[in-house]
């Protein structure tokens, strides 16, 4: 991330939710202070990389073919998600491996800090996905297209087994440094892949996006640099 840009606005309540914190639990001043500290720390130690590309779609007997690749999207859930779409944007976002090294160090010296940082990583990468989705929607609009919400491998009946083909389609090892294991787990661990459906302008793109207000302000600031 460009250090001249503002931090992504992470939410305390989301980090607490990822920690399994219940609303009825009392939030101690010590934990509140640690969460606030970690919301800054996670953005300093991460090495964020993100990449997306637009692709046309074609219906096949085995599913939805991403044109120009070996990637086929199969399953009821993704078929419903892309019903009416003429193309897609595929993206991959990662926090990199440096933050994982920091977490491992804290696991030895301060387990509570490690757990909070792990939860903050989840919140951070999700917020970065919101930002990438906003970039995609903005570019799609310039092409006369409307974007729906992101959908990731592993949701519904879209198998994680597509991850190797998905990452190969984006040349993700080169573009963002993401690889995949034989068990379809991504490395670095704090990485996300997702699909955004693109529909002709004037078409209702479902499920409808609900873009956070901060995304456009962030993109405007980014463009001014």
């Amino acid at each position: 991330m460009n250090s001249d840009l503002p931090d992504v606005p992470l939410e305390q309540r989301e980090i607490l939710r990822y920690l399994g914190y219940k609303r009825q639990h009392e939030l101690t001043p010590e934990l509140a202070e640690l969460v606030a500290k970690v919301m800054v720390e996670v953005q300093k130690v991460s090495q964020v990389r993100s990449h997306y590309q637009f692709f046309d779609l074609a219906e096949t007997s085995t599913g939805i073919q991403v044109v120009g690749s070996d990637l086929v999207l199969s399953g009821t859930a993704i078929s419903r998600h892309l019903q009416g779409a003429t193309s897609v944007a595929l993206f991959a976002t990662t926090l990199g491996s440096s933050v994982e090294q920091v977490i491992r160090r804290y696991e030895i010296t301060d387990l509570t800090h490690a757990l909070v940082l792990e939860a903050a990583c989840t919140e951070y990468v999700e917020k970065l996905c919101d930002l990438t989705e906003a970039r995609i929607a903005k570019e799609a609009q310039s092409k006369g297209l409307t974007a729906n919400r992101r959908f990731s491998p592993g949701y519904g009946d879209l198998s994680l087994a597509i991850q190797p083909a998905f990452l190969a389609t984006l040349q993700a090892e080169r573009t963002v440094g993401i690889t995949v294991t034989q068990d379809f787990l991504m490395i670095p661990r704090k990485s996300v892949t997702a699909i955004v459906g693109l529909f002709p302008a004037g078409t209702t793109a479902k499920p409808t996006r609900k873009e956070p207000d901060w995304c456009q302000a962030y993109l405007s600031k980014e463009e001014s640099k």
Side-chain angles (χ1 to χ4, degrees):
M1 301 288 287
N2 187 329
S3 60
D4 293 332
L5 293 173
D7 286 346
V8 171
L10 306 185
E11 296 180 63
Q12 180 196 71
R13 65 179 181 180
E14 288 299 297
I15 294 172
L16 293 174
R17 182 172 68 85
Y18 291 128
L19 283 168
Y21 209 79
K22 303 297 182 183
R23 186 172 296 179
Q24 63 268 27
H25 293 164
E26 181 183 357
L27 178 61
T28 65
E30 292 79 12
L31 181 57
E33 182 179 355
L34 178 58
V35 170
K37 176 182 177 181
V38 166
M39 285 194 293
V40 175
E41 180 182 22
V42 68
Q43 301 193 56
K44 287 185 175 179
V45 301
S46 295
Q47 296 174 315
V48 173
R49 298 174 73 182
S50 189
H51 176 68
Y52 69 84
Q53 287 179 244
F54 288 24
F55 297 89
D56 291 332
L57 297 176
E59 293 284 348
T60 71
S61 59
T62 57
I64 303 170
Q65 176 79 46
V66 176
V67 175
S69 77
D70 294 327
L71 180 60
V72 177
L73 308 173
S74 302
T76 302
I78 191 62
S79 295
R80 186 166 54 244
H81 191 82
L82 296 178
Q83 186 174 0
T86 55
S87 55
V88 291
L90 306 181
F91 77 81
T93 296
T94 183
L95 300 188
S97 59
S98 58
V99 69
E100 295 178 11
Q101 295 168 3
V102 174
I103 290 171
R104 285 195 291 271
R105 289 200 295 271
Y106 280 129
E107 286 173 343
I108 298 170
T109 62
D110 188 341
L111 185 56
T112 299
H113 198 132
L115 292 171
V116 174
L117 183 54
E118 183 88 26
C121 284
T122 303
E123 162 68 349
Y124 189 26
V125 78
E126 286 299 321
K127 284 291 194 295
L128 290 169
C129 287
D130 289 341
L131 193 57
T132 300
E133 193 178 299
R135 289 192 180 102
I136 289 168
K138 187 173 184 178
E139 183 173 339
Q141 188 176 32
S142 73
K143 298 176 183 290
L145 299 167
T146 302
N148 70 358
R149 290 206 306 265
R150 64 183 179 269
F151 191 105
S152 287
Y155 287 2
D157 56 357
L158 182 62
S159 174
L160 284 173
I162 71 167
Q163 290 285 38
F166 192 113
L167 293 171
T169 300
L170 288 177
Q171 301 181 61
E173 185 170 4
R174 178 181 64 81
T175 57
V176 289
I178 299 175
T179 58
V180 64
T181 70
Q182 291 183 338
D183 297 323
F184 311 123
L185 300 177
M186 289 183 287
I187 298 174
R189 292 185 304 112
K190 295 303 181 184
S191 303
V192 173
T193 55
I195 302 151
V196 176
L198 303 174
F199 302 76
T203 303
T204 301
K206 294 183 178 180
T208 306
R209 296 183 62 253
K210 296 180 180 178
E211 186 170 296
D213 292 339
W214 67 269
C215 285
Q216 283 306 317
Y218 191 102
L219 292 179
S220 297
K221 180 73 172 179
E222 189 177 59
E223 289 174 357
S224 70
K225 293 296 179 180

